[in-house]
Short mmCIF file of all heavy atoms in Angstrom, two decimals:
data_model
loop_
_atom_site.label_atom_id
_atom_site.label_comp_id
_atom_site.label_asym_id
_atom_site.label_seq_id
_atom_site.Cartn_x
_atom_site.Cartn_y
_atom_site.Cartn_z
N MET A 456 -23.35 -20.65 91.25
CA MET A 456 -22.89 -20.67 89.87
C MET A 456 -23.63 -19.52 89.17
O MET A 456 -24.70 -19.10 89.46
CB MET A 456 -23.19 -21.95 89.18
CG MET A 456 -22.80 -22.15 87.92
SD MET A 456 -22.93 -23.83 87.27
CE MET A 456 -23.63 -23.50 85.69
N LYS A 457 -22.91 -18.82 88.32
CA LYS A 457 -23.35 -17.65 87.60
C LYS A 457 -24.24 -18.08 86.45
O LYS A 457 -24.20 -19.14 85.94
CB LYS A 457 -22.14 -16.92 86.81
CG LYS A 457 -21.32 -16.18 87.81
CD LYS A 457 -20.31 -15.39 87.03
CE LYS A 457 -19.56 -14.40 87.88
NZ LYS A 457 -18.65 -13.66 87.18
N ASN A 458 -25.23 -17.12 86.21
CA ASN A 458 -26.25 -17.36 85.23
C ASN A 458 -25.58 -16.95 83.91
O ASN A 458 -25.31 -15.90 83.62
CB ASN A 458 -27.46 -16.43 85.59
CG ASN A 458 -28.63 -16.72 84.50
OD1 ASN A 458 -28.51 -17.68 83.86
ND2 ASN A 458 -29.52 -15.85 84.60
N VAL A 459 -25.50 -17.89 82.97
CA VAL A 459 -24.88 -17.66 81.65
C VAL A 459 -26.05 -17.30 80.73
O VAL A 459 -26.98 -17.93 80.58
CB VAL A 459 -24.23 -18.98 81.16
CG1 VAL A 459 -23.64 -18.78 79.87
CG2 VAL A 459 -23.11 -19.35 82.08
N ARG A 460 -25.79 -16.17 80.02
CA ARG A 460 -26.75 -15.64 79.13
C ARG A 460 -26.34 -15.99 77.63
O ARG A 460 -25.42 -15.48 77.18
CB ARG A 460 -26.95 -14.17 79.27
CG ARG A 460 -27.52 -13.76 80.63
CD ARG A 460 -27.96 -12.30 80.70
NE ARG A 460 -26.71 -11.56 80.71
CZ ARG A 460 -26.76 -10.20 80.71
NH1 ARG A 460 -27.90 -9.57 80.75
NH2 ARG A 460 -25.63 -9.44 80.77
N LEU A 461 -26.96 -17.06 77.27
CA LEU A 461 -26.53 -17.60 75.88
C LEU A 461 -26.80 -16.56 74.77
O LEU A 461 -26.08 -16.59 73.86
CB LEU A 461 -27.28 -18.89 75.64
CG LEU A 461 -26.92 -20.13 76.51
CD1 LEU A 461 -27.90 -21.31 76.20
CD2 LEU A 461 -25.47 -20.43 76.46
N TYR A 462 -27.88 -15.84 74.94
CA TYR A 462 -28.16 -14.84 73.92
C TYR A 462 -27.06 -13.75 73.76
O TYR A 462 -26.57 -13.35 72.69
CB TYR A 462 -29.45 -14.13 74.21
CG TYR A 462 -29.91 -13.19 73.11
CD1 TYR A 462 -30.21 -13.60 71.79
CD2 TYR A 462 -29.99 -11.83 73.38
CE1 TYR A 462 -30.70 -12.71 70.83
CE2 TYR A 462 -30.38 -10.88 72.30
CZ TYR A 462 -30.66 -11.43 71.09
OH TYR A 462 -31.02 -10.53 70.07
N MET A 463 -26.47 -13.34 74.93
CA MET A 463 -25.39 -12.36 74.84
C MET A 463 -24.09 -13.01 74.24
O MET A 463 -23.43 -12.31 73.49
CB MET A 463 -25.08 -11.81 76.13
CG MET A 463 -26.10 -10.94 76.72
SD MET A 463 -26.39 -9.46 75.69
CE MET A 463 -24.86 -8.69 75.90
N ILE A 464 -23.77 -14.29 74.57
CA ILE A 464 -22.71 -15.02 73.97
C ILE A 464 -22.91 -15.04 72.54
O ILE A 464 -21.96 -14.84 71.67
CB ILE A 464 -22.65 -16.44 74.70
CG1 ILE A 464 -22.28 -16.16 76.06
CG2 ILE A 464 -21.55 -17.21 73.87
CD1 ILE A 464 -22.22 -17.59 76.86
N PHE A 465 -24.10 -15.40 71.99
CA PHE A 465 -24.39 -15.46 70.57
C PHE A 465 -24.11 -14.17 70.00
O PHE A 465 -23.56 -14.06 68.87
CB PHE A 465 -25.77 -15.97 70.44
CG PHE A 465 -26.28 -15.98 68.91
CD1 PHE A 465 -25.76 -16.80 68.01
CD2 PHE A 465 -27.02 -14.86 68.41
CE1 PHE A 465 -26.08 -16.72 66.73
CE2 PHE A 465 -27.42 -14.83 67.22
CZ PHE A 465 -27.06 -15.71 66.22
N GLN A 466 -24.57 -13.02 70.69
CA GLN A 466 -24.45 -11.68 69.99
C GLN A 466 -22.93 -11.44 69.89
O GLN A 466 -22.59 -10.95 68.82
CB GLN A 466 -25.11 -10.65 70.90
CG GLN A 466 -26.62 -10.61 70.71
CD GLN A 466 -27.25 -9.52 71.55
OE1 GLN A 466 -26.51 -8.92 72.47
NE2 GLN A 466 -28.33 -9.00 71.06
N TRP A 467 -22.13 -11.67 70.83
CA TRP A 467 -20.71 -11.40 70.83
C TRP A 467 -20.05 -12.36 69.80
O TRP A 467 -19.17 -11.81 69.00
CB TRP A 467 -19.99 -11.70 72.10
CG TRP A 467 -20.19 -10.50 73.01
CD1 TRP A 467 -20.93 -10.42 74.11
CD2 TRP A 467 -19.43 -9.23 72.87
NE1 TRP A 467 -20.71 -9.14 74.62
CE2 TRP A 467 -19.63 -8.40 73.95
CE3 TRP A 467 -18.43 -8.66 71.93
CZ2 TRP A 467 -19.32 -7.18 74.14
CZ3 TRP A 467 -18.01 -7.44 72.18
CH2 TRP A 467 -18.35 -6.70 73.12
N VAL A 468 -20.37 -13.52 69.65
CA VAL A 468 -19.78 -14.35 68.63
C VAL A 468 -20.16 -13.97 67.23
O VAL A 468 -19.20 -13.96 66.28
CB VAL A 468 -20.24 -15.87 68.88
CG1 VAL A 468 -19.85 -16.76 67.80
CG2 VAL A 468 -19.60 -16.33 70.12
N PHE A 469 -21.31 -13.50 67.04
CA PHE A 469 -21.77 -13.04 65.78
C PHE A 469 -21.26 -11.66 65.34
O PHE A 469 -20.86 -11.45 64.18
CB PHE A 469 -23.41 -12.93 65.70
CG PHE A 469 -23.92 -12.63 64.42
CD1 PHE A 469 -24.03 -13.58 63.42
CD2 PHE A 469 -24.50 -11.29 64.21
CE1 PHE A 469 -24.52 -13.29 62.25
CE2 PHE A 469 -25.03 -10.98 62.94
CZ PHE A 469 -25.06 -11.89 61.95
N PHE A 470 -21.26 -10.66 66.22
CA PHE A 470 -20.80 -9.39 65.84
C PHE A 470 -19.40 -8.95 66.07
O PHE A 470 -18.85 -8.11 65.54
CB PHE A 470 -21.61 -8.29 66.73
CG PHE A 470 -23.10 -8.28 66.31
CD1 PHE A 470 -24.11 -8.77 67.09
CD2 PHE A 470 -23.49 -7.70 65.00
CE1 PHE A 470 -25.32 -8.61 66.65
CE2 PHE A 470 -24.74 -7.67 64.66
CZ PHE A 470 -25.73 -8.08 65.51
N LEU A 471 -18.61 -9.83 66.79
CA LEU A 471 -17.22 -9.61 67.03
C LEU A 471 -16.39 -9.53 65.75
O LEU A 471 -15.60 -8.68 65.45
CB LEU A 471 -16.55 -10.48 68.03
CG LEU A 471 -15.12 -10.17 68.39
CD1 LEU A 471 -15.12 -8.81 69.14
CD2 LEU A 471 -14.70 -11.34 69.31
N PRO A 472 -16.66 -10.60 64.77
CA PRO A 472 -15.95 -10.50 63.54
C PRO A 472 -16.20 -9.29 62.63
O PRO A 472 -15.53 -8.93 61.75
CB PRO A 472 -16.41 -11.81 62.72
CG PRO A 472 -16.90 -12.72 63.85
CD PRO A 472 -17.40 -11.85 64.92
N ILE A 473 -17.44 -8.63 62.97
CA ILE A 473 -17.74 -7.35 62.17
C ILE A 473 -17.13 -6.25 62.77
O ILE A 473 -16.56 -5.29 62.19
CB ILE A 473 -19.34 -7.21 62.09
CG1 ILE A 473 -19.80 -8.47 61.23
CG2 ILE A 473 -19.63 -5.95 61.39
CD1 ILE A 473 -21.34 -8.62 61.45
N ILE A 474 -17.24 -6.13 64.12
CA ILE A 474 -16.84 -5.04 64.94
C ILE A 474 -15.21 -4.98 64.94
O ILE A 474 -14.65 -3.82 64.77
CB ILE A 474 -17.37 -5.07 66.36
CG1 ILE A 474 -18.83 -4.92 66.38
CG2 ILE A 474 -16.73 -4.02 67.21
CD1 ILE A 474 -19.51 -5.11 67.63
N LEU A 475 -14.53 -5.96 65.19
CA LEU A 475 -13.09 -5.93 65.39
C LEU A 475 -12.30 -5.42 64.10
O LEU A 475 -11.48 -4.46 64.34
CB LEU A 475 -12.59 -7.37 65.64
CG LEU A 475 -11.19 -7.50 66.09
CD1 LEU A 475 -10.85 -6.62 67.32
CD2 LEU A 475 -10.78 -8.82 66.40
N PRO A 476 -12.64 -5.84 62.84
CA PRO A 476 -11.92 -5.22 61.83
C PRO A 476 -12.28 -3.76 61.50
O PRO A 476 -11.38 -2.97 61.15
CB PRO A 476 -12.35 -6.04 60.57
CG PRO A 476 -12.94 -7.37 61.11
CD PRO A 476 -13.41 -7.02 62.46
N LEU A 477 -13.47 -3.38 61.84
CA LEU A 477 -13.89 -1.93 61.64
C LEU A 477 -13.01 -1.20 62.70
O LEU A 477 -12.61 -0.07 62.28
CB LEU A 477 -15.28 -1.76 61.95
CG LEU A 477 -16.38 -2.37 60.86
CD1 LEU A 477 -17.78 -2.19 61.32
CD2 LEU A 477 -16.10 -1.50 59.49
N CYS A 478 -13.00 -1.55 63.89
CA CYS A 478 -12.21 -0.83 65.01
C CYS A 478 -10.73 -0.78 64.63
O CYS A 478 -10.04 0.20 64.68
CB CYS A 478 -12.40 -1.42 66.31
SG CYS A 478 -14.03 -1.24 67.03
N LEU A 479 -10.21 -1.85 64.02
CA LEU A 479 -8.76 -1.89 63.64
C LEU A 479 -8.47 -0.94 62.50
O LEU A 479 -7.55 -0.03 62.48
CB LEU A 479 -8.27 -3.36 63.34
CG LEU A 479 -8.17 -4.16 64.60
CD1 LEU A 479 -7.86 -5.74 63.96
CD2 LEU A 479 -7.14 -3.84 65.50
N THR A 480 -9.41 -0.96 61.62
CA THR A 480 -9.18 -0.02 60.41
C THR A 480 -9.39 1.50 60.78
O THR A 480 -8.57 2.22 60.41
CB THR A 480 -10.30 -0.41 59.29
OG1 THR A 480 -10.14 -1.70 58.97
CG2 THR A 480 -10.18 0.45 58.05
N TYR A 481 -10.29 1.80 61.64
CA TYR A 481 -10.56 3.12 62.10
C TYR A 481 -9.39 3.50 62.84
O TYR A 481 -8.93 4.67 62.82
CB TYR A 481 -11.85 3.14 62.88
CG TYR A 481 -12.09 4.50 63.54
CD1 TYR A 481 -12.43 5.73 62.77
CD2 TYR A 481 -11.80 4.76 64.92
CE1 TYR A 481 -12.68 6.80 63.40
CE2 TYR A 481 -11.89 6.00 65.55
CZ TYR A 481 -12.44 7.00 64.75
OH TYR A 481 -12.54 8.19 65.36
N GLY A 482 -8.85 2.75 63.71
CA GLY A 482 -7.65 3.05 64.57
C GLY A 482 -6.40 3.23 63.72
O GLY A 482 -5.67 4.24 63.90
N ALA A 483 -6.28 2.44 62.67
CA ALA A 483 -5.09 2.64 61.65
C ALA A 483 -5.24 4.00 60.96
O ALA A 483 -4.25 4.68 60.86
CB ALA A 483 -5.04 1.41 60.96
N ILE A 484 -6.43 4.24 60.47
CA ILE A 484 -6.60 5.39 59.72
C ILE A 484 -6.45 6.70 60.65
O ILE A 484 -5.75 7.69 60.21
CB ILE A 484 -7.92 5.50 59.03
CG1 ILE A 484 -7.81 4.37 57.93
CG2 ILE A 484 -8.17 6.88 58.45
CD1 ILE A 484 -9.35 4.12 57.38
N ARG A 485 -6.94 6.67 61.83
CA ARG A 485 -6.82 7.80 62.77
C ARG A 485 -5.41 7.98 63.15
O ARG A 485 -4.97 9.11 63.26
CB ARG A 485 -7.67 7.53 63.98
CG ARG A 485 -7.77 8.67 64.87
CD ARG A 485 -8.76 8.42 66.06
NE ARG A 485 -8.63 9.55 66.97
CZ ARG A 485 -9.14 9.44 68.20
NH1 ARG A 485 -9.71 8.36 68.61
NH2 ARG A 485 -8.98 10.47 69.03
N GLY A 486 -4.70 6.95 63.40
CA GLY A 486 -3.26 6.99 63.79
C GLY A 486 -2.42 7.53 62.54
O GLY A 486 -1.54 8.45 62.86
N ALA A 487 -2.62 7.20 61.39
CA ALA A 487 -2.00 7.65 60.20
C ALA A 487 -2.16 9.16 60.00
O ALA A 487 -1.27 10.01 59.75
CB ALA A 487 -2.34 7.07 58.98
N ILE A 488 -3.52 9.60 60.32
CA ILE A 488 -3.79 11.10 60.09
C ILE A 488 -3.13 11.89 61.12
O ILE A 488 -2.60 12.99 60.93
CB ILE A 488 -5.32 11.22 60.11
CG1 ILE A 488 -6.02 10.63 58.89
CG2 ILE A 488 -5.78 12.67 60.27
CD1 ILE A 488 -7.56 10.58 58.82
N GLN A 489 -3.17 11.31 62.48
CA GLN A 489 -2.49 12.09 63.53
C GLN A 489 -0.96 12.18 63.17
O GLN A 489 -0.28 13.26 63.58
CB GLN A 489 -2.85 11.32 64.76
CG GLN A 489 -4.09 11.55 65.24
CD GLN A 489 -4.46 10.86 66.68
OE1 GLN A 489 -3.58 10.11 67.13
NE2 GLN A 489 -5.54 11.28 67.26
N MET A 490 -0.34 11.13 62.84
CA MET A 490 1.06 11.15 62.43
C MET A 490 1.34 12.15 61.29
O MET A 490 2.36 12.88 61.39
CB MET A 490 1.58 9.74 62.00
CG MET A 490 2.95 9.71 61.86
SD MET A 490 4.07 10.21 63.24
CE MET A 490 3.55 8.96 64.41
N VAL A 491 0.57 12.27 60.25
CA VAL A 491 0.78 13.28 59.23
C VAL A 491 0.62 14.63 59.79
O VAL A 491 1.40 15.50 59.44
CB VAL A 491 -0.29 13.04 58.11
CG1 VAL A 491 -0.30 14.11 57.18
CG2 VAL A 491 0.06 11.75 57.34
N GLU A 492 -0.32 14.81 60.78
CA GLU A 492 -0.48 16.22 61.43
C GLU A 492 0.77 16.55 62.08
O GLU A 492 1.24 17.72 62.07
CB GLU A 492 -1.72 16.27 62.19
CG GLU A 492 -2.94 16.25 61.41
CD GLU A 492 -4.23 16.20 62.37
OE1 GLU A 492 -4.08 15.92 63.58
OE2 GLU A 492 -5.31 16.25 61.84
N ARG A 493 1.35 15.65 62.85
CA ARG A 493 2.53 15.88 63.74
C ARG A 493 3.74 16.20 62.76
O ARG A 493 4.55 16.99 63.12
CB ARG A 493 2.85 14.60 64.63
CG ARG A 493 1.80 14.45 65.73
CD ARG A 493 2.30 13.39 66.68
NE ARG A 493 1.33 13.05 67.59
CZ ARG A 493 1.20 11.90 68.41
NH1 ARG A 493 2.15 10.99 68.17
NH2 ARG A 493 0.22 11.87 69.25
N VAL A 494 3.77 15.38 61.70
CA VAL A 494 4.90 15.61 60.79
C VAL A 494 4.85 17.02 60.15
O VAL A 494 5.96 17.61 60.12
CB VAL A 494 5.07 14.57 59.72
CG1 VAL A 494 6.02 14.85 58.63
CG2 VAL A 494 5.42 13.18 60.40
N MET A 495 3.74 17.44 59.69
CA MET A 495 3.47 18.80 59.11
C MET A 495 3.84 19.75 60.16
O MET A 495 4.41 20.83 59.79
CB MET A 495 2.06 18.89 58.54
CG MET A 495 1.71 18.00 57.44
SD MET A 495 2.94 18.09 56.07
CE MET A 495 2.48 19.69 55.52
N GLU A 496 3.36 19.60 61.39
CA GLU A 496 3.61 20.65 62.38
C GLU A 496 5.17 20.79 62.69
O GLU A 496 5.78 21.94 62.72
CB GLU A 496 2.96 20.32 63.72
CG GLU A 496 1.47 20.54 63.72
CD GLU A 496 0.73 20.06 64.94
OE1 GLU A 496 1.47 19.57 65.89
OE2 GLU A 496 -0.42 20.09 64.94
N GLN A 497 5.85 19.69 62.64
CA GLN A 497 7.27 19.70 62.82
C GLN A 497 8.02 20.24 61.70
O GLN A 497 8.99 21.07 61.81
CB GLN A 497 7.80 18.24 63.13
CG GLN A 497 9.17 18.18 63.46
CD GLN A 497 9.48 18.87 64.84
OE1 GLN A 497 8.70 18.52 65.71
NE2 GLN A 497 10.48 19.65 64.93
N ILE A 498 7.52 19.99 60.43
CA ILE A 498 8.14 20.61 59.28
C ILE A 498 7.95 22.22 59.30
O ILE A 498 8.82 22.86 59.11
CB ILE A 498 7.52 20.05 58.00
CG1 ILE A 498 7.98 18.64 57.80
CG2 ILE A 498 7.85 20.92 56.76
CD1 ILE A 498 7.14 18.04 56.66
N VAL A 499 6.77 22.66 59.65
CA VAL A 499 6.46 24.00 59.76
C VAL A 499 7.34 24.66 60.91
O VAL A 499 7.97 25.76 60.63
CB VAL A 499 5.03 24.36 60.03
CG1 VAL A 499 4.77 25.76 60.37
CG2 VAL A 499 4.15 23.96 58.79
N THR A 500 7.46 24.06 62.07
CA THR A 500 8.37 24.45 63.16
C THR A 500 9.77 24.58 62.69
O THR A 500 10.48 25.50 62.86
CB THR A 500 8.26 23.57 64.29
OG1 THR A 500 6.81 23.57 64.72
CG2 THR A 500 8.95 24.12 65.49
N ASP A 501 10.22 23.48 62.04
CA ASP A 501 11.68 23.57 61.60
C ASP A 501 11.92 24.73 60.58
O ASP A 501 12.89 25.32 60.58
CB ASP A 501 12.03 22.22 61.07
CG ASP A 501 12.18 21.14 62.18
OD1 ASP A 501 12.19 21.54 63.40
OD2 ASP A 501 12.17 20.06 61.82
N VAL A 502 11.05 24.72 59.63
CA VAL A 502 11.32 25.66 58.49
C VAL A 502 11.18 27.11 58.92
O VAL A 502 11.99 27.96 58.66
CB VAL A 502 10.22 25.41 57.38
CG1 VAL A 502 10.34 26.62 56.25
CG2 VAL A 502 10.63 24.09 56.76
N VAL A 503 10.18 27.49 59.74
CA VAL A 503 10.00 28.81 60.31
C VAL A 503 11.10 29.11 61.33
O VAL A 503 11.73 30.33 61.10
CB VAL A 503 8.59 28.94 60.90
CG1 VAL A 503 8.41 30.34 61.72
CG2 VAL A 503 7.47 28.80 59.75
N SER A 504 11.44 28.35 62.23
CA SER A 504 12.52 28.79 63.18
C SER A 504 13.80 28.81 62.52
O SER A 504 14.55 29.65 62.77
CB SER A 504 12.51 27.65 64.28
OG SER A 504 12.97 26.41 63.82
N GLN A 505 14.17 28.01 61.50
CA GLN A 505 15.37 28.07 60.79
C GLN A 505 15.47 29.32 59.99
O GLN A 505 16.45 29.98 59.81
CB GLN A 505 15.56 26.85 59.84
CG GLN A 505 16.87 26.79 59.20
CD GLN A 505 16.96 25.59 58.33
OE1 GLN A 505 16.05 25.15 57.98
NE2 GLN A 505 18.17 25.31 57.87
N HIS A 506 14.38 29.65 59.41
CA HIS A 506 14.33 30.92 58.62
C HIS A 506 14.43 32.13 59.39
O HIS A 506 15.28 33.12 59.04
CB HIS A 506 12.97 30.94 57.74
CG HIS A 506 12.81 32.23 56.93
ND1 HIS A 506 13.68 32.50 55.86
CD2 HIS A 506 12.01 33.29 56.93
CE1 HIS A 506 13.42 33.60 55.35
NE2 HIS A 506 12.39 34.19 55.94
N GLU A 507 13.94 32.09 60.62
CA GLU A 507 14.00 33.38 61.46
C GLU A 507 15.45 33.55 62.12
O GLU A 507 15.88 34.63 62.23
CB GLU A 507 12.94 33.28 62.46
CG GLU A 507 11.53 33.49 61.99
CD GLU A 507 10.46 33.32 63.01
OE1 GLU A 507 10.95 33.04 64.16
OE2 GLU A 507 9.36 33.50 62.74
N THR A 508 16.09 32.40 62.42
CA THR A 508 17.24 32.51 63.25
C THR A 508 18.52 32.64 62.31
O THR A 508 19.65 32.90 62.77
CB THR A 508 17.43 31.36 64.11
OG1 THR A 508 17.45 30.17 63.38
CG2 THR A 508 16.33 31.31 65.21
N GLN A 509 18.38 32.42 61.02
CA GLN A 509 19.60 32.40 60.06
C GLN A 509 19.87 33.78 59.72
O GLN A 509 19.02 34.59 59.29
CB GLN A 509 19.21 31.58 58.93
CG GLN A 509 20.46 31.25 58.13
CD GLN A 509 20.13 30.35 57.03
OE1 GLN A 509 18.96 30.31 56.44
NE2 GLN A 509 21.12 29.50 56.53
N PRO A 510 21.13 34.19 60.04
CA PRO A 510 21.48 35.69 59.70
C PRO A 510 21.60 35.84 58.24
O PRO A 510 21.80 34.88 57.52
CB PRO A 510 22.76 35.86 60.41
CG PRO A 510 23.26 34.44 60.58
CD PRO A 510 22.19 33.52 60.69
N THR A 511 21.38 37.01 57.77
CA THR A 511 21.39 37.32 56.30
C THR A 511 22.88 37.85 56.06
O THR A 511 23.42 38.64 56.90
CB THR A 511 20.43 38.30 55.90
OG1 THR A 511 20.60 39.46 56.66
CG2 THR A 511 18.99 37.71 55.95
N ILE A 512 23.47 37.52 54.90
CA ILE A 512 24.64 38.05 54.52
C ILE A 512 24.52 38.99 53.46
O ILE A 512 24.00 38.77 52.36
CB ILE A 512 25.61 36.79 54.05
CG1 ILE A 512 25.72 35.78 55.17
CG2 ILE A 512 26.98 37.42 53.64
CD1 ILE A 512 26.57 34.66 54.83
N ASP A 513 25.01 40.24 53.61
CA ASP A 513 24.76 41.33 52.61
C ASP A 513 26.13 41.58 51.87
O ASP A 513 27.11 41.69 52.34
CB ASP A 513 24.27 42.59 53.16
CG ASP A 513 22.83 42.39 53.60
OD1 ASP A 513 22.02 41.57 52.86
OD2 ASP A 513 22.40 43.02 54.57
#
């Protein structure tokens, strides 16, 4: 039979409600920032490539 460490179980039970919301919040913020960066890069790519390839009419 395995040796159960009650102190480690207590630590996980005590700190998990603190750690889990922090990790979820950090992940959500990081994901939002990365998505904004991707959208901005796509906007720049679309605008610059459209501007360069469009012929001018004189």
Side-chain angles (χ1 to χ4, degrees):
M456 189 168 134
K457 288 187 173 183
N458 184 10
V459 178
R460 294 189 291 180
L461 293 176
Y462 184 67
M463 289 301 293
I464 292 173
F465 172 73
Q466 284 183 336
W467 275 109
V468 169
F469 183 76
F470 287 111
L471 189 62
I473 298 169
I474 295 171
L475 188 61
L477 289 175
C478 292
L479 291 174
T480 304
Y481 175 75
I484 291 171
R485 184 174 178 198
I488 290 171
Q489 287 178 346
M490 186 55 65
V491 168
E492 289 175 354
R493 288 181 188 169
V494 169
M495 292 303 294
E496 288 175 5
Q497 189 64 43
I498 290 171
V499 169
T500 302
D501 290 345
V502 169
V503 170
S504 65
Q505 185 181 19
H506 179 65
E507 290 177 355
T508 60
Q509 194 173 27
T511 58
I512 301 173
D513 291 326

